[in-house]
Amino acid sequence: MSYAVAPAETRSMVALVAPLSGQLVPIEQVPDPVFAQKMVGDGVSIDPTSQTLLAPCDGEVIQLHPSNHAVTVKTPDGLEVLMHIGLDTVTLRGEGFVPRVRVGDRVRVGDPLINFDADFVATHARSLLTQIVITNSDRVVKFEPRLGTVVGGQDIALDLALGDVSEDGTVIGGVTVASEPIVIPNPTGLHARPSAVLSTLAKKYKSDIRLKYGDKSANARSVIGLMGMSVGNGATVQLEASGPDAEAAIAELSEALRTGLGEEGAKPVAVAASIEQPEISKPAPRPRSEDPNVILGVAASPGVAVGYLRRVQQQEITVSEHGGAPNEERRKLEQAIAKASQDVEALRAKVHGQGDPKKSAIFAAHQEILDDPELMDTAASAIDKGKSAAYAWKQTYTSQAEMLSKLDNALLAERANDLRDVGDRVLRILTGVTAEVVTYPEHTILVAEDLTPSDMATLDPTKIAGFCTVAGGATSHVSILARAMDIPSMAGTEPRVLELPEGTPAILDGSKGRLRLNPSTEEMERTQQRIARVKERRQRELATAFEPAITTDGHRIEVVANISNAEEGAKSVKFGGEGVGLLRSELVFMERDSAPDEDEQTAIYSAAARALEGRPLIIRTLDVGGDKPLPYLPIPHEENPFLGERGIRLGFDRPEILRTQFRAILRASEAGKVRIMFPMIARLEEWHMAKQMLEEERQSLGVAPIEAGIMVEVPSTAVMAEQFAREVDFFSVGTNDLTQYTLAMDRGHPKLAPYADALSPGVLGLIGMAARAANKYGKWCGVCGGVAGDPQAVPILIGLGVKELSVSAPTIPSVKAQIRTLSLADCQRLAEQALAADTAEAVRELVPLTED
Ligand code: PEP
Ligand code: MG
């Protein structure tokens, strides 16, 4: 139930004049989903007959794309009018466009903005259709595009009705609707995850939506604002929305809130049964030790470290308080946030490549913080009062982080650390102050109030034996990273650790959350010996790393590496790698502003081939999309990116990119034993299309054919493995994706991660189908997903008929050593049992892990 509390507000009208002469086309008919689905904003399109783009309104030029094909003018009402000449014209890199204005110029309606060569653009780009869209469409209550032909600079192309605007910039036209009181059923209140769910839902609506709790109120789009209200389990809140879709927003959001925003254990509660000011999840009491030589904390990353304590000094970035013109300062901040966002995305793509969904989820959370409207709004209002962008930003994130950390809620305190990290990242971009790289001596146990995920990225794991932080807990992002980096650590450590003298000898047990101070030399030695035993095993494995991996009954399994560049290829050879089963070529395309051209790609792939000194190299073609976006290759927003234009599908949509890559791979085949592999093949037709394009490029280059295979990572492909096996040269099973698609569990979902196990009998069944079909047709089947290096999976995969395991380079020696202890016959029996098992857990019980 909801009720309207106010009638429609008064509206003002804005008319945009046609920026070009030509025929008006409804935006929905533009053959590009980015525009047709109004992902950039609502508006209208023109099929132009003139060649000078004119200002459709008075205003200020606030953005001119570096390729000069798009420009944004901000009207005095604050509307941002983007004009985008042609489709896919960014690929022309400025050719055919001459800008007539610069960012910051004030323009009057009809002033020239960009001249363009219509013949050149029409013949070199997909279309000349020019879009006029409002990028901050939530300010607009109604769009009324005109129809027919228009004369540029004279006729109206688009009428807009504006709603009134609230203090934080959201539209309050339409009606204001409030929900009934709602009791929060989430066991730990509105912590980060439910807040993120609520804010995602709120972003679907144009209306201003606020959550009210007592005398506090927050923008429902802001995760930080929501978390900052510290709404606990059983608290009574109310939603209020003002705008054109207020009614629908309240209906959906209040139901979602009432039922716990998808959180487990959240049972809807009637208002009468609620307690007004309930307890919110308090941090677990910090463990304390009575023994002066023992400091306790929370076990964060397992393993034992012996070393000497060193304090981490936090670097303070100084900023000047006063700034230039508010517009300029705001733009600086927006650009810094955009750059930080790109960097975080690149980091996310990088850790995705390492196949660790938990690490990837950390950077997804950072992205969420960067997108938070509350941060930008608060900083912008300080800028408007004359503060510099850096000062305003620093004040905003430090005070918000401070507020979160004081809320006496463990989860929120951990998110405060993420906020500081992300805030620092933006501040460094704004000030140009780069992170200091501090070097520590060997056997260092770092002691810090807190560390951020970015600090972790600069740690040298050969010097840092372990670390303890006073802040954080086992689920802090830093702890997750420590586990991924295999560095023992503890969090939530007793604060007295910060007062200990530099160089205090200590033994850190990350599995128990215990720091033993001033141990006897004997104790330190004993512990070192234990650590050394593990190391010795590692060395034994390394010593035999160059020998083949042959089972006790004489079957050879190839053990190869997953890499992203020539350097890693060379490293894999040193670990006894017998080639490369997967070069993730998308990593070649990431962390840059534009796609590498054919020559550059040829050089990169050739270098990788040469690094392998004659060993085979499988290059997988570009696998972007899903959770691996490329900043310069915009993919329209998708509801389900993992089920969208990902992998080879994107290549078919942008054939010029795929063909360029094919040519580069074919040319690189002259430098070594190069094979090609297509990602995300789901249908036989896709294999045919890719193969045909490859063949066309091969013939035009006149080079010898190369072996071509496919990733088996979509269930349909495994089920149709027989049909594929007749045609392809090889299969490589991508268990990371095959698991997510088989179990319908997002590979990056932090909550589902424990269940998304590639050893689930269902996934194993599909791997078995692929391997059987390959063997039947005289082809081979490998596995390149993360499970290929899992000691509990190795015997089962071999038993299923897998002939190649592609793993991270450092894992190669242990996988080879393990294979030498196995017999194929035993593995086959084991695989049969695994296929018949009921659960992934039962499968894992079939292969107990050995000590050390
Ligand atoms: C996989 O899906 O298992 C795989 C190896 O590919 P990626 O992890 O790059 O998606
Ligand atoms: Mg994959």
Side-chain angles (χ1 to χ4, degrees):
M1 268 283 288
S2 60
Y3 50 93
V5 294
E9 302 284 330
T10 47
R11 292 171 181 173
S12 57
M13 299 298 296
V14 173
L16 294 183
V17 170
L20 289 163
S21 299
Q23 176 77 33
L24 290 171
V25 176
I27 195 85
E28 296 82 359
Q29 289 176 17
V30 174
D32 183 335
V34 177
F35 292 110
Q37 292 172 18
K38 304 179 185 174
M39 291 167 194
V40 186
D42 206 343
V44 68
S45 180
I46 297 184
D47 196 359
T49 50
S50 60
Q51 305 198 45
T52 300
L53 187 81
L54 307 173
C57 51
D58 295 348
E60 184 193 343
V61 177
I62 60 163
Q63 180 259 350
L64 179 65
H65 194 281
S67 298
N68 298 324
H69 67 289
V71 60
T72 306
V73 173
K74 189 168 182 177
T75 71
D77 292 302
L79 283 185
E80 293 173 6
V81 186
L82 166 76
M83 283 148 285
H84 189 284
I85 305 171
L87 297 178
D88 285 352
T89 31
V90 65
T91 56
L92 302 181
R93 299 190 183 179
E95 214 179 328
F97 299 94
V98 180
R100 301 281 302 273
V101 286
R102 284 189 306 203
V103 170
D105 284 357
R106 301 216 146 264
V107 288
R108 305 296 306 264
V109 66
D111 284 353
L113 300 173
I114 298 172
N115 288 346
F116 61 98
D117 178 343
D119 285 345
F120 177 83
V121 177
T123 48
H124 288 80
R126 195 139 66 92
S127 163
L128 254 182
L129 277 179
T130 296
Q131 289 57 246
I132 303 107
V133 294
I134 309 301
T135 52
N136 51 351
S137 292
D138 52 357
R139 302 279 321 274
V140 182
V141 177
K142 198 159 180 205
F143 284 84
E144 288 177 2
R146 302 271 175 112
L147 293 169
T149 52
V150 280
V151 177
Q154 287 183 23
D155 297 337
I156 301 208
L158 182 61
D159 291 299
L160 305 166
L162 305 189
D164 283 352
V165 170
S166 69
E167 256 175 36
D168 61 3
T170 38
V171 68
I172 57 170
V175 292
T176 299
V177 179
S179 72
E180 297 279 357
I182 302 163
V183 179
I184 298 296
N186 304 64
T188 49
L190 282 192
H191 64 82
R193 201 174 301 117
S195 298
V197 173
L198 186 63
S199 99
T200 307
L201 289 177
K203 283 176 192 157
K204 283 176 29 189
Y205 294 94
K206 289 182 176 175
S207 300
D208 173 32
I209 309 169
R210 302 197 71 84
L211 184 73
K212 303 200 160 175
Y213 175 44
D215 55 0
K216 299 181 211 160
S217 149
N219 183 341
R221 291 185 178 85
S222 166
V223 181
I224 291 166
L226 292 171
M227 293 196 306
M229 286 202 298
S230 192
V231 178
N233 169 262
T236 304
V237 298
Q238 197 170 15
L239 282 161
E240 200 170 285
S242 309
D245 47 12
E247 196 85 57
I250 292 297
E252 180 175 6
L253 269 66
S254 52
E255 181 57 16
L257 255 183
R258 211 182 54 75
T259 52
L261 295 156
E263 190 167 48
E264 252 174 44
K267 294 201 182 64
V269 190
V271 178
S274 76
I275 317 144
E276 264 316 303
Q277 289 287 11
E279 280 283 287
I280 193 160
S281 88
K282 289 225 162 61
R286 204 185 276 280
R288 293 212 173 270
S289 144
E290 299 297 321
D291 182 341
N293 272 327
V294 173
I295 292 198
L296 296 179
V298 176
S301 174
V304 175
V306 177
Y308 302 89
L309 305 184
R310 315 256 168 223
R311 283 278 312 268
V312 178
Q313 304 298 342
Q314 307 286 2
Q315 191 193 4
E316 175 76 12
I317 304 173
T318 48
V319 295
S320 51
E321 184 171 346
H322 302 290
N327 267 357
E328 203 33 55
E329 295 294 319
R330 217 175 305 144
R331 193 144 320 119
K332 271 194 219 157
L333 180 56
E334 279 165 6
Q335 280 166 357
I337 292 176
K339 171 77 177 70
S341 180
Q342 266 182 21
D343 294 350
V344 168
E345 206 47 66
L347 274 173
R348 186 147 96 101
K350 201 165 161 183
V351 297
H352 164 99
Q354 293 159 0
D356 190 332
K358 287 193 192 134
K359 274 164 92 183
S360 169
I362 294 172
F363 293 107
H366 284 198
Q367 196 72 53
E368 185 74 47
I369 294 174
L370 284 168
D371 290 342
D372 198 295
E374 193 98 346
L375 284 178
M376 185 63 203
D377 289 351
T378 314
S381 72
I383 287 174
D384 288 343
K385 292 185 187 102
K387 306 294 181 202
S388 70
Y391 183 89
W393 177 253
K394 189 176 174 190
Q395 287 294 105
T396 304
Y397 80 82
T398 48
S399 58
Q400 301 254 27
E402 187 94 329
M403 189 240 327
L404 285 181
S405 61
K406 283 198 181 128
L407 288 177
D408 214 13
N409 174 304
L411 277 162
L412 297 190
E414 282 165 19
R415 294 306 159 258
N417 186 31
D418 289 319
L419 181 52
R420 279 192 206 101
D421 191 7
V422 174
D424 249 38
R425 183 181 289 282
V426 175
L427 192 61
R428 286 183 192 284
I429 295 169
L430 273 171
T431 55
V433 177
T434 48
E436 246 173 54
V437 182
V438 188
T439 48
Y440 295 97
E442 277 188 0
H443 308 296
T444 289
I445 296 179
L446 278 184
V447 172
E449 171 66 39
D450 205 355
L451 291 169
T452 64
S454 301
D455 291 331
M456 295 286 295
T458 57
L459 290 186
D460 176 354
T462 62
K463 302 284 188 323
I464 307 303
F467 63 84
C468 325
T469 57
V470 172
T475 57
S476 312
H477 287 162
V478 171
S479 304
I480 294 171
L481 285 175
R483 292 195 286 272
M485 290 166 78
D486 209 11
I487 300 181
S489 75
M490 73 187 208
T493 313
E494 294 178 62
R496 66 188 166 102
V497 75
L498 297 173
E499 283 142 33
L500 296 169
E502 284 282 285
T504 304
I507 298 175
L508 167 69
D509 189 337
S511 318
K512 296 200 179 111
R514 190 169 188 274
L515 185 70
R516 169 134 189 73
L517 303 174
N518 305 309
S520 66
T521 328
E522 200 197 11
E523 198 178 340
M524 282 182 89
E525 270 167 16
R526 248 197 341 264
T527 315
Q528 286 282 28
Q529 279 161 8
R530 194 150 52 86
I531 299 171
R533 274 202 301 281
V534 175
K535 235 188 192 154
E536 263 166 32
R537 177 171 59 101
R538 175 85 189 137
Q539 246 132 32
R540 274 199 309 277
E541 291 166 356
L542 272 171
T544 54
F546 292 98
E547 289 165 24
I550 299 175
T551 60
T552 52
D553 47 359
H555 297 272
R556 179 165 183 178
I557 304 295
E558 277 189 38
V559 184
V560 291
N562 290 350
I563 65 163
S564 53
N565 54 39
E567 211 176 55
E568 288 176 17
K571 190 168 122 193
S572 77
V573 171
K574 294 207 177 86
F575 280 116
E578 297 168 330
V580 161
L582 171 65
L583 183 149
R584 287 183 163 99
S585 72
E586 56 275 12
L587 298 168
V588 170
F589 285 67
M590 284 168 178
E591 291 180 60
R592 21 183 323 141
D593 298 330
S594 59
D597 65 17
E598 184 181 321
D599 287 346
E600 199 177 346
Q601 284 189 59
T602 307
I604 293 169
Y605 305 146
S606 303
R610 278 193 297 272
L612 299 185
E613 300 162 356
R615 295 171 184 83
L617 164 66
I618 299 181
I619 303 176
R620 179 176 74 183
T621 59
L622 193 59
D623 183 23
V624 288
D627 65 343
K628 293 185 272 190
L630 278 187
Y632 53 87
L633 196 82
I635 300 170
H637 169 80
E638 295 178 312
E639 281 296 318
N640 293 301
F642 276 126
L643 304 180
E645 273 203 322
R646 209 198 137 180
I648 198 76
R649 301 172 187 176
L650 193 77
F652 293 145
D653 188 60
R654 324 265 169 120
E656 69 293 352
I657 293 181
L658 195 57
R659 285 183 184 273
T660 304
Q661 190 175 31
F662 283 173
R663 283 197 300 277
I665 294 172
L666 287 161
R667 283 170 59 192
S669 70
E670 297 184 338
K673 202 166 173 184
V674 171
R675 298 169 180 156
I676 193 166
M677 176 157 75
F678 309 128
M680 277 292 288
I681 294 282
R683 301 177 301 130
L684 198 62
E685 300 91 303
E686 291 165 353
W687 153 254
H688 290 156
M689 276 162 71
K691 188 73 201 304
Q692 188 185 331
M693 282 164 77
L694 177 70
E695 183 56 17
E696 283 164 12
E697 295 308 323
R698 185 190 73 79
Q699 285 185 10
S700 80
L701 285 170
V703 297
I706 58 174
E707 285 184 25
I710 59 167
M711 295 280 297
V712 177
E713 51 187 346
V714 179
S716 60
T717 306
V719 173
M720 286 179 63
E722 289 244 351
Q723 288 93 316
F724 281 102
R726 291 189 200 113
E727 303 187 20
V728 302
D729 290 316
F730 60 88
F731 286 150
S732 185
V733 183
T735 46
N736 306 338
D737 277 313
L738 188 63
T739 307
Q740 83 161 343
Y741 293 128
T742 305
L743 298 177
M745 289 182 186
D746 186 330
R747 62 193 268 176
H749 197 299
K751 238 166 133 186
L752 299 178
Y755 315 116
D757 190 341
L759 289 194
S760 304
V763 181
L764 292 178
L766 292 173
I767 302 174
M769 288 169 105
R772 224 179 5 260
N775 292 333
K776 177 170 167 186
Y777 288 95
K779 314 291 169 65
W780 60 264
C781 174
V783 173
C784 62
V787 81
D790 178 341
Q792 287 182 295
V794 168
I796 298 174
L797 296 175
I798 293 174
L800 288 172
V802 166
K803 299 282 191 264
E804 178 234 52
L805 295 171
S806 193
V807 300
S808 69
T811 322
I812 293 169
S814 63
V815 171
K816 281 182 136 183
Q818 186 187 4
I819 293 169
R820 292 188 203 108
T821 67
L822 304 170
S823 90
L824 177 63
D826 287 346
C827 290
Q828 283 167 338
R829 273 189 292 275
L830 184 67
E832 263 173 46
Q833 289 173 337
L835 288 174
D838 290 338
T839 61
E841 207 182 338
V843 172
R844 289 196 176 272
E845 275 165 15
L846 294 171
V847 193
L849 281 172
T850 48
E851 280 285 305
D852 272 4

